[in-house]
Amino acid sequence: MSANYPNISPKLWSIIAPHVPQSSPEQDPSTLSSYLKFKVEKSILDLKVKFTDKILDGSVTYIIKPLVDTKELVLDTAHLKIKNVTINGTIQSFELKPSNGPLGVPLYVNYDFKADEGFKLEISYETTKKGTALQWLEPPQTDGKKLPYLFSQCEAIHARSFFPCFDTPSVKSPFEFNIQSSLPVLMSGLLSKKTPLENGITLYNFYQPVPIPSYLCSIASGDLKDAPIGPRSRVWTEPSFLEACQNEFKDDTENFIKTAESLVFEYEWKDYDVLVLPQSMPFGGMEHPNCTFATPTLISGDKENVDVIAHELSHSWAGNLVTNGSFEHFWLNEGWTVYLERRILERLHGEKHRHFSSIIGWTDLENSIAAMGSTASRYSKLVLNLKHGDDPDDSFSTVPYEKGFNLLFHIEQTLGSKEAFDPFIKHYFEKFKYKSLDTYQFLDTLYEFYSDKKDLLDTIDWETWLYAPGLPPKPDFDTTLADECFSLAGRWIKVISNAPDSLESDFSPSDIENFTSNQNGVFLDKLVSYQNQDGFDWSSKNGQKAIRIMKKKYTKYENSSNAEVIFRWFRLLLTAQIQSEYQKLADWLGTVGRMKFVRPGYVLLNEADRELAIATFKKYEQSYHPICKAMVMKDLGLN
Ligand SMILES: [Zn+2]
C-alpha cells in the first residue's frame, strides 16, 4: 500500500495501483504553468471594459510565495497582448514561448525566486478578439437591442485568454476585482464599492474572500437590473425581462439553499445571485461563485426548469468549495453536484422524484455514450486521461455528470441507505473545503470514513466504475413516475395501430393534466422513439390523424412556454411531417440561443425542408453566439 493512501483496502489497491499518480494529488496535465513551485496568496484584477474595441485592458497582480528556490515562473496565457511584467515594482524581462495548441502560450518570467520569500507580481496586458473566454455581444444580440453586452465562460481552460494565470483548478486564492465600465458589472464575488468616474464610467470593486480557481472567475457587463428572489439572493438581467425572472425563481431559491445547507453545511459565500443572460447564452448554466450564469430558456413561466438552479447552487459546495484537481477528475465536480441536486429534489418533492430525475439522466448517459462513436473508449471513462495535450473541452460530456452521480448513488445503496451515506457527505466537504483533490484522495477518504465497512465497499466493482469505458452497472430505480409516461405513450401507439377510429374517444386532456414538464418530456420522447419501430410511422395517415387529435386534446403543448416541452413537441410534429408546423419551428429558432435546442432544431428543420433551414439560419445567424453559430454551420454542412 502506498503511504499516500493508507486507508485503501488491499483489494482496491490491487485495482488502482497501475493508475495512481507518483505524487498526490495528481499533477494537472492541462496547464503549462509552474504552479507546483508557488503558492498564490491573493489575486487582483484591475481592468477597463472597452466595448468599442471589444477588449479588456489593465493588469493582474499576484501576491505569491515560492515553495522552492527556482529561477523561473511560468503562467498560462492564450491570445493575450502582454505589455510588461514587474516584480515588487521593478520591470522584469519576460518571454512568450511558442503556442502549444489548445493549451495556449506559456509566459516565462526569469528571476531569482527564493523559497518562502514572498513577492508581488504584476502583469499589464490586454485581451484580444481571438480570445475564447470573452463574448462581446452587439446591441442587436441583446434583448434591449440598444447597448452592448459582455460575458465570459472560462471553464475548462479559457481563463488563460482572460488573464495570465496558473490556469489549473489546483491553484486557488482569494480575489479582488476592480473593474471600470460604462455599464453595470457583475463578477465572481461580492460588490464592496461603486465609484462614479468621468465620462459615464463607473469603478466597481468586488472581493472574493473564499479561495477560488481561475476557471470560476467571471465577468459580465451590460444593461443589468436586479430584483430580490430570496433573503440572500437577487436575480440580474436586462430590464424588460426582470419581472419574469423574479417570478420564476423567487419561490424556490431560498428553499434550495436551506435544503443544501441541511445536507452539507452552511452556505459559505454569503449571497447567492443569478444572472439571466441574453438568448445568445449557448449553455444551460455556469456556477460562478455568488453569481450563477443562466440561460433565459430556464424562464418558462411554470417554474419547471428550476432544477438547473438546484444544480448550479449545489456547485457552491461541489466544485466551488471542494474542487477537482484537474479536469481528468471532473466527475468529482459534476457527479457530486448532480448527486446533491437530486438529494435536494428528494427532500423537497420526495424520493420518487429523485429516481425519476435519475432515470432521465440515465437515458442521457446512454445517448451520450452512443453518440461518442470511436472516442467512447477514451471519454466514457470516469477517470479521464488528458495527458497528451488534450483540450479538456473535447472530453466534456454527460459521463462525468451521470456516471459520477451513479457511482455515488451506488456507494449509498451499497452502504444500505441515504442515512448511512449522509455523515460522509458532511465529512468529505468539511475535509476538502478550500482545497482541490483527485479521485484517489476521494477513495482514501471514503475507506477511512467507513473503516469498519471496508468489506462492504470492496464489493463495489471499482475496476468497471473507475476505468472501464461504456455504461456502468445499471442501478434499480423506482420507475413510478416514468411508468405513467411510458404507459400513456404505449396506449397511443396501440390505438393508432389497432383502432384508429377510437382515437377521438380514447384520449382526453386529463391524461396529462398532472404531468410535470419532465414527465411531458419523457412522454413526448417516448412517442418519438416509436418511429420506425416495427413499421410504425408517424407520417402515415393514421399517425398524422393522431397528431391532429393530440393537438386538440393536449393544447398545453402548443401553448407551452417551456423550451424543453416546446422543442420535444416540435420534434414529434416534424417526425410526423406536419408541414404547417415547419415555419413555426423556424420562427421559434429565432427566439432561442441555447445549443441544446438550436442545434437539434436546425437538424430537424434541415431534414424536413433544407431550403427553409438555410434561409432561417441566414436570417438569425447574427443573433447566435459564435460557438453556436459555428456548430450549426457544421451541422448544416455550410462550411
Ligand atoms: Zn455542473
Side-chain angles (χ1 to χ4, degrees), residues 287 311-312 315 330 333-334 337 401:
E287 67 270 19
H311 179 95
E312 303 308 334
H315 273 303
F330 189 47
N333 275 14
E334 294 300 345
T337 297
Y401 295 74

Side-chain angles (χ1 to χ4, degrees), residues 351-364:
E351 182 72 354
K352 276 195 296 189
H353 286 264
R354 177 165 85 127
H355 284 252
F356 184 54
S357 171
S358 309
I359 290 168
I360 295 171
W362 183 270
T363 308
D364 287 348

Side-chain angles (χ1 to χ4, degrees), residues 461-634:
D461 180 1
W462 290 110
E463 175 74 42
T464 301
W465 279 102
L466 299 174
Y467 305 118
L471 288 166
K474 187 173 181 178
D476 275 331
F477 295 121
D478 174 345
T479 60
T480 314
L481 292 171
D483 287 344
E484 291 175 47
C485 316
F486 293 161
S487 82
L488 179 61
R491 200 150 66 77
W492 273 94
I493 302 304
K494 219 165 130 190
V495 178
I496 295 167
S497 306
N498 302 329
D501 288 342
S502 50
L503 275 167
E504 186 75 51
S505 55
D506 273 15
F507 297 95
S508 81
S510 65
D511 301 340
I512 58 164
E513 206 171 51
N514 297 318
F515 275 10
T516 63
S517 80
N518 274 338
Q519 282 183 299
N520 287 315
V522 169
F523 167 62
L524 291 168
D525 281 349
K526 191 72 184 173
L527 288 177
V528 171
S529 76
Y530 282 101
Q531 178 70 8
N532 296 332
Q533 230 184 71
D534 301 326
F536 185 86
D537 184 2
W538 279 107
S539 68
S540 67
K541 195 172 128 252
N542 287 334
Q544 292 196 340
K545 178 184 172 190
I547 295 286
R548 280 195 300 276
I549 290 168
M550 203 181 291
K551 269 183 86 164
K552 225 164 50 189
K553 306 264 183 187
Y554 301 165
T555 49
K556 76 173 178 186
Y557 291 150
E558 196 148 48
N559 300 328
S560 176
S561 52
N562 188 322
E564 299 279 354
V565 173
I566 297 170
F567 170 71
R568 288 178 169 86
W569 178 236
F570 274 127
R571 185 159 58 192
L572 178 63
L573 296 171
L574 268 77
T575 304
Q577 299 179 19
I578 310 290
Q579 293 188 11
S580 56
E581 298 292 331
Y582 296 178
Q583 187 59 48
K584 288 186 199 161
L585 171 60
D587 293 344
W588 186 66
L589 288 172
T591 68
V592 286
R594 187 176 173 189
M595 287 197 285
K596 180 180 183 182
F597 304 119
V598 175
R599 291 186 63 191
Y602 274 103
V603 169
L604 271 178
L605 197 58
N606 189 46
E607 282 164 4
D609 183 343
R610 179 164 174 82
E611 214 170 292
L612 178 60
I614 290 170
T616 304
F617 178 69
K618 293 278 168 226
K619 185 171 170 190
Y620 298 123
E621 63 178 326
Q622 291 315 322
S623 68
Y624 297 130
H625 191 284
I627 296 175
C628 178
K629 185 176 154 183
M631 293 312 232
V632 174
M633 284 180 73
K634 219 166 111 187

Side-chain angles (χ1 to χ4, degrees), residues 277-484:
L277 288 153
Q279 282 294 354
S280 60
M281 163 72 165
F283 306 106
M286 179 63 208
E287 67 270 19
H288 301 120
N290 296 113
C291 188
T292 284
F293 282 16
T295 163
T297 58
L298 301 191
I299 312 304
S300 49
D302 57 9
K303 299 179 184 165
E304 290 269 14
N305 294 318
V306 290
D307 49 355
V308 173
I309 297 300
H311 179 95
E312 303 308 334
L313 171 74
S314 296
H315 273 303
S316 305
W317 292 267
N320 297 6
L321 217 49
V322 174
T323 310
N324 52 216
S326 79
F327 290 101
E328 295 186 310
H329 303 278
F330 189 47
W331 79 272
L332 289 171
N333 275 14
E334 294 300 345
W336 266 110
T337 297
V338 174
Y339 181 84
L340 292 179
E341 170 199 338
R342 291 189 177 140
R343 289 298 303 274
I344 293 173
L345 289 183
E346 169 253 315
R347 292 237 169 140
L348 293 175
H349 307 297
E351 182 72 354
K352 276 195 296 189
H353 286 264
R354 177 165 85 127
H355 284 252
F356 184 54
S357 171
S358 309
I359 290 168
I360 295 171
W362 183 270
T363 308
D364 287 348
L365 181 63
E366 285 177 333
N367 293 338
S368 163
I369 292 176
M372 278 182 184
S374 63
T375 61
S377 59
R378 293 190 63 199
Y379 294 149
S380 66
K381 293 178 182 178
L382 189 69
V383 181
L384 293 164
N385 179 348
L386 304 174
K387 293 180 178 63
H388 306 285
D390 306 63
D391 182 348
D393 281 358
D394 290 341
S395 71
F396 266 43
S397 77
T398 307
V399 169
Y401 295 74
E402 293 298 340
K403 209 182 220 188
F405 159 78
N406 276 287
L407 173 57
L408 294 167
F409 183 69
H410 183 58
I411 295 170
E412 175 205 299
Q413 304 275 302
T414 303
L415 291 165
S417 66
K418 294 192 291 271
E419 291 69 29
F421 190 60
D422 281 350
F424 178 70
I425 300 176
K426 293 178 198 291
H427 174 75
Y428 169 78
F429 285 101
E430 192 61 55
K431 179 173 173 180
F432 290 106
K433 72 177 180 183
Y434 315 135
K435 295 187 182 129
S436 307
L437 80 159
D438 65 23
T439 303
Y440 305 103
Q441 291 167 284
F442 163 81
L443 292 171
D444 191 64
T445 299
L446 182 72
Y447 272 74
E448 176 191 35
F449 191 80
Y450 293 107
S451 58
D452 55 338
K453 294 196 173 82
K454 287 187 185 180
D455 289 348
L456 204 53
L457 292 174
D458 274 349
T459 64
I460 293 170
D461 180 1
W462 290 110
E463 175 74 42
T464 301
W465 279 102
L466 299 174
Y467 305 118
L471 288 166
K474 187 173 181 178
D476 275 331
F477 295 121
D478 174 345
T479 60
T480 314
L481 292 171
D483 287 344
E484 291 175 47

Side-chain angles (χ1 to χ4, degrees), residues 71-73 85 87 92-94 107-111 113:
K71 301 275 187 215
E72 65 186 20
L73 176 148
V85 176
I87 289 179
Q92 300 297 320
S93 65
F94 66 89
L107 168 67
Y108 281 72
V109 180
N110 298 314
Y111 187 82
F113 298 103

Side-chain angles (χ1 to χ4, degrees), residues 42-47 59-62 125 152 154 162-163 173-180 185-194 203-210 212-219 269 288-290:
K42 191 176 180 184
S43 310
I44 304 153
L45 277 173
D46 292 280
L47 294 168
S59 67
V60 59
T61 303
Y62 293 109
Y125 75 98
S152 64
C154 288
F162 180 3
F163 56 101
S173 81
F175 268 81
E176 231 179 78
F177 305 105
N178 308 308
I179 311 295
Q180 296 181 32
V185 174
L186 287 173
M187 302 293 293
S188 309
L190 299 157
L191 182 70
S192 56
K193 211 168 134 198
K194 225 164 87 174
L203 169 64
Y204 298 84
N205 302 104
F206 295 84
Y207 67 104
Q208 179 51 267
V210 181
I212 59 168
S214 53
Y215 82 85
L216 286 176
C217 290
S218 65
I219 184 168
W269 308 81
H288 301 120
N290 296 113

